[in-house]
Amino acid sequence: MTKTDIILIVSNPGLLAKNIKSLTTTNRVQKVVIVGMEHLTDHLPDNCSYVQSAFPHSFATLREALALCETPNVAIVKSAPFRTGVQKGILDMVAIMNATHSQMVYANYTVLGESSQYVHPLIQAQPGSVRDDFDFGFVQCFSTKSIKNYLNTCTNKDLRFSALYALHLFTLRAGKALHIPQPCYAVNETASENTHFKYLEASQEMQQKEMEIVCTQHLDAIGARVSPPFKEVEFDEHFSTVASVIIPVKNREKTIKDAVKSALKQKTNFSFNVIVVDNYSTDNTTKYLQKLDKKIIHHIPRRKDLGIGGCWNEALLHPACGTFAVQLDSDDLYQDANTLQKIVDTFRAEKCAMVVGAYSLVDFKLNSLPPGLIDHREWTPDNGANNALRINGFGAPRAF
């Protein structure tokens, strides 16, 4: 009978008692190692241990926690409002990992609200999935051997903030990470914390610099690191128009009008069009776009299972797409009528393959919201092209 150990990383102390109870109700869980910044309780079940660390995501903490594990399998679990049965889901994931000879598995999960439920889908990670906030869900199962291999070969044994991030990249390089598309556990729905721009906070500076090193070393290892001077791009000018503003949209009736208007108001010395990919909106988005058919290209995909990336691809493959594909999110506005001209001028001056613009956060009345201007401070002359790949903050406009 397959058994597993669990390393529980406590990010929400208020859930600790419930998490311990939900993870220790079967004898197939050998041990639960609790990792936290402070000692939270002295009343632990016999099969639980506690590792107190000021740096729960450090290399030293991961090594200490793993030393307490005894089985060939380890599940690394983040605090979450789990529903009953999570331990069965973990054991199912471990069984799939062993059957497929994977080193790591993660799975979709079900979110249960007061009156509804839905499956939270994840995607298959690849060696190029270098975002430091890549969504692996709340549970990731590893072979103990693979984690030990990482600990033995890691050259950054002083990592304080990003040992788990480095472990993920190490596993992706081996090509042994498996995404299970079926939901394997369930959590209660809670209000989600917006951490999208947390990396900009001054308190994050040391973490960000450390993760930049980890990311860059990974890109080196897979042969994907780039460095200046960059190769100049030759543009293919045979397209029917110079630029296309691409707006993927679904259910944005409150913002899509302003987004489209800001695109149509652009003043340029070249031809451009606006391609809006309408992903089966169920509000009044579609009705508004149908009124503008003569001014825009209103495209509805044949498939109904596309996310924003799939809609972007639909526009790129559209016969009306121009030499330059310029994304505008459906809840964004261009700064002024000259933005598109600036983007294309930058392409031609720099002869580059991608242009990313700074942007500001505002409310519906265009009042500034914190953190205000996003000026891509992660973009540095020597390593910005690599470091920016791990940041969830490119925003719009971005153009290719």
Side-chain angles (χ1 to χ4, degrees):
M1 181 181 294
T2 301
K3 288 193 174 186
T4 189
D5 293 308
I6 293 175
I7 297 175
L8 172 63
I9 300 178
V10 180
S11 55
N12 186 340
L15 293 172
L16 179 59
K18 290 184 177 179
N19 284 170
I20 291 174
K21 183 177 180 180
S22 65
L23 295 172
T24 57
T25 55
T26 172
N27 59 8
R28 291 175 63 191
V29 173
Q30 184 92 348
K31 179 175 288 188
V32 177
V33 180
I34 303 163
V35 176
M37 295 181 68
E38 53 186 297
H39 193 76
L40 298 170
T41 178
D42 292 316
H43 305 289
L44 293 174
D46 292 339
N47 64 337
C48 290
S49 301
Y50 203 94
V51 174
Q52 184 177 353
S53 172
F55 302 100
H57 294 85
S58 70
F59 181 92
T61 301
L62 179 60
R63 181 172 54 191
E64 183 179 354
L66 190 70
L68 298 172
C69 298
E70 303 168 353
T71 69
N73 313 290
V74 177
I76 297 180
V77 179
K78 296 189 291 185
S79 297
F82 291 112
R83 294 295 291 262
T84 56
V86 62
Q87 70 277 7
K88 179 183 182 303
I90 292 174
L91 291 165
D92 288 344
M93 292 169 66
V94 168
I96 292 173
M97 179 176 68
N98 292 333
T100 57
H101 304 290
S102 302
Q103 293 180 8
M104 169 190 174
V105 297
Y106 60 101
N108 294 353
Y109 57 92
T110 303
V111 179
L112 302 173
E114 292 184 2
S115 58
S116 64
Q117 68 179 51
Y118 62 92
V119 174
H120 182 87
L122 305 178
I123 61 175
Q124 176 63 50
Q126 306 171 45
S129 302
V130 297
R131 282 259 295 267
D132 56 46
D133 66 345
F134 188 92
D135 191 0
F136 291 105
F138 296 100
V139 178
Q140 301 134 50
C141 298
F142 293 85
S143 72
T144 305
K145 181 179 179 180
S146 68
I147 300 182
K148 288 182 177 179
N149 190 22
Y150 159 72
L151 294 173
N152 291 333
T153 59
C154 179
T155 57
N156 291 345
K157 292 182 170 52
D158 295 326
L159 294 177
R160 291 192 294 171
F161 310 101
S162 52
L164 291 182
Y165 175 49
L167 172 61
H168 289 145
L169 296 180
F170 175 85
T171 309
L172 295 181
R173 286 198 296 275
K176 295 291 186 178
L178 176 67
H179 166 235
I180 302 172
Q182 291 78 27
C184 288
Y185 57 95
V187 299
N188 289 322
E189 188 174 42
T190 58
S192 59
E193 179 186 3
N194 186 1
T195 59
H196 193 81
F197 299 106
K198 190 174 179 63
Y199 74 97
L200 294 170
E201 298 175 4
S203 61
Q204 290 283 308
E205 184 177 1
M206 287 190 294
Q207 290 94 315
Q208 294 303 313
K209 288 182 177 180
E210 183 178 286
M211 285 191 286
E212 178 178 358
I213 293 171
V214 171
C215 178
T216 305
Q217 289 178 338
H218 169 74
L219 293 173
D220 261 333
I222 65 173
R225 181 180 180 181
V226 295
S227 57
F230 301 114
K231 180 180 179 182
E232 293 186 350
V233 175
E234 294 183 7
F235 303 118
D236 188 340
E237 305 282 7
H238 80 276
F239 295 94
S240 59
T241 191
V242 173
S244 289
V245 177
I246 296 173
I247 307 177
V249 64
K250 182 173 184 178
N251 294 342
R252 287 286 178 85
E253 62 181 8
K254 293 182 179 180
T255 59
I256 186 61
K257 294 181 182 180
D258 291 334
V260 171
K261 286 179 181 178
S262 76
L264 293 173
K265 287 181 180 178
Q266 293 302 297
K267 297 178 181 179
T268 65
N269 59 15
F270 53 82
S271 61
F272 74 93
N273 58 26
V274 179
I275 304 175
V276 183
V277 184
D278 183 4
N279 195 15
Y280 293 90
S281 296
T282 56
D283 61 5
N284 291 315
T285 297
T286 301
K287 291 181 180 179
Y288 171 74
L289 294 173
Q290 287 171 339
K291 296 177 182 178
L292 294 174
D293 270 351
K294 293 182 180 179
K295 295 183 178 181
I296 65 170
I297 298 167
H298 180 204
H299 177 70
I300 300 178
R302 291 183 179 180
R303 292 174 54 176
K304 295 184 177 182
D305 61 342
L306 299 178
I308 190 171
C311 291
W312 170 256
N313 288 341
E314 287 276 322
L316 286 179
L317 297 173
H318 195 285
C321 189
T323 300
F324 303 106
V326 185
Q327 181 168 341
L328 180 66
D329 289 347
S330 58
D331 59 348
D332 288 343
L333 307 171
Y334 282 132
Q335 183 72 27
D336 54 44
N338 302 310
T339 301
L340 187 58
Q341 182 71 53
K342 292 177 183 177
I343 291 172
V344 172
D345 287 348
T346 302
F347 272 117
R348 299 202 185 283
E350 300 290 340
K351 292 181 170 34
C352 57
M354 182 180 183
V355 171
V356 180
Y359 60 99
S360 299
L361 296 187
V362 296
D363 61 18
F364 285 111
K365 295 182 180 180
L366 303 185
N367 297 312
S368 180
L369 293 174
L373 178 67
I374 311 300
D375 57 1
H376 304 300
R377 65 185 70 176
E378 71 276 3
W379 187 276
T380 57
D382 57 339
N383 199 44
N386 301 293
N387 188 38
L389 293 175
R390 71 173 182 87
I391 297 295
N392 181 13
F394 260 171
R398 50 190 152 178
F400 304 87

